[in-house]
């Protein structure tokens, strides 16, 4: 019933406003806080801020129905992708520089952190293979679920089945990288 009410009352401003409310604090303010505390490099901060600028431009372009902002957001998206490729090593080093004790109990804040603290803890407790499999499956389900939900709420025609198959192939390669980084960190199979 709630979805029907949302769908019936949803105009073009609701989803972009939600994206702003979630995206700016998580990808803009939180990384700036981590940078200030010395737990994030300048390169990683630039990538997060470029992503935040892209999200803000897309959301404001959709809310204001402004084509200039939407076209400009495409340029910022390309800049973000370029920065992410250029600073990939620094971002991975920042992400996997987390120190977790194997005996430490689970902390709920790890589930929303921008680093793999939870996955490192899981690798210490249950092995790197299981942690990497769960990491990849969780990522896959979140991406596909989000696209399916947006497709349903907006009434879109996004080819979800084709994308799900393509993304599954990509996630096989992602598993290799996640496994390697977790194994380097924990040295536990």
């Amino acid at each position: 019933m709630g979805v029907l009410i949302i769908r019936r009352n949803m105009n073009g401003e609701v989803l972009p406003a939600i994206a702003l409310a979630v995206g700016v604090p998580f990808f803009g303010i939180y990384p700036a806080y981590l940078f200030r505390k010395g737990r994030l490099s300048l390169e990683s901060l630039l990538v997060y801020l470029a992503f935040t600028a892209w999200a803000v431009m897309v959301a404001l372009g959709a809310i204001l129905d402004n084509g200039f902002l939407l076209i400009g957001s495409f340029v910022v998206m390309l800049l973000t992708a370029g920065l992410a490729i250029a600073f990939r090593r620094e971002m991975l080093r920042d992400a996997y520089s987390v120190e977790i004790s194997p005996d430490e109990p689970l902390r709920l804040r790890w589930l929303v952190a921008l680093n793999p603290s939870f996955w490192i803890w899981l690798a210490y407790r249950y092995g790197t293979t299981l942690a990497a499999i769960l990491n990849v499956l969780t990522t896959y389900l979140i991406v596909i679920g989000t696209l399916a939900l947006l497709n349903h709420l907006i009434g879109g025609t996004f080819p979800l089945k084709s994308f799900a198959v393509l993304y599954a192939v990509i996630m096989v390669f992602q598993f290799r990288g996640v496994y390697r980084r977790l194994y380097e960190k924990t040295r536990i199979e």
Side-chain angles (χ1 to χ4, degrees):
M1 182 70 175
V3 173
L4 293 175
I5 292 171
I6 290 172
R7 190 170 185 189
R8 193 175 309 155
N9 294 332
M10 185 173 295
N11 49 21
E13 293 85 18
V14 173
L15 288 177
I18 292 171
L20 279 174
V22 172
V24 171
F26 193 71
F27 293 108
I29 296 170
Y30 184 59
Y33 168 77
L34 291 177
F35 174 73
R36 188 169 162 225
K37 294 287 186 185
R39 297 188 313 199
L40 193 66
S41 68
L42 179 61
E43 294 86 359
S44 296
L45 178 66
L46 288 175
V47 174
Y48 283 119
L49 292 180
F51 180 80
T52 303
W54 168 77
V56 167
M57 287 182 76
V58 166
L60 289 178
I63 290 171
L64 301 174
D65 197 21
N66 187 329
F68 177 73
L69 283 173
L70 291 173
I71 292 170
S73 72
F74 181 73
V75 173
V76 175
M77 179 186 66
L78 293 176
L79 172 71
T80 303
L83 287 173
I85 291 168
F87 299 139
R88 183 175 186 269
R89 288 192 176 158
E90 289 82 1
M91 291 184 72
L92 285 174
R93 186 184 65 233
D94 286 345
Y96 284 89
S97 66
V98 178
E99 294 299 326
I100 303 291
S101 170
D103 301 323
E104 197 166 351
L106 175 64
R107 296 188 180 171
L108 293 179
R109 67 182 164 96
W110 291 344
L111 297 175
V112 294
L114 286 176
N115 60 39
S117 303
F118 173 71
W119 304 111
I120 293 171
W121 176 84
L122 198 63
Y124 275 129
R125 292 288 174 115
Y126 301 105
T128 301
T129 305
L130 180 63
I133 288 171
L134 290 176
N135 179 306
V136 168
L137 283 175
T138 303
T139 304
Y140 180 80
L141 291 175
I142 287 172
V143 169
I144 298 300
T146 301
L147 288 174
L149 181 65
L150 288 174
N151 218 13
H152 174 73
L153 290 175
I154 299 173
T157 57
F158 184 76
L160 194 59
K161 291 179 184 175
S162 302
F163 180 77
V165 171
L166 176 66
Y167 196 60
V169 172
I170 292 170
M171 293 311 285
V172 169
F173 294 105
Q174 179 70 16
F175 170 79
R176 289 179 30 201
V178 170
Y179 178 85
R180 181 179 43 81
R181 286 187 293 277
L182 286 174
Y183 183 76
E184 287 172 0
K185 187 74 176 169
T186 63
R187 297 287 181 210
I188 297 173
E189 285 285 331

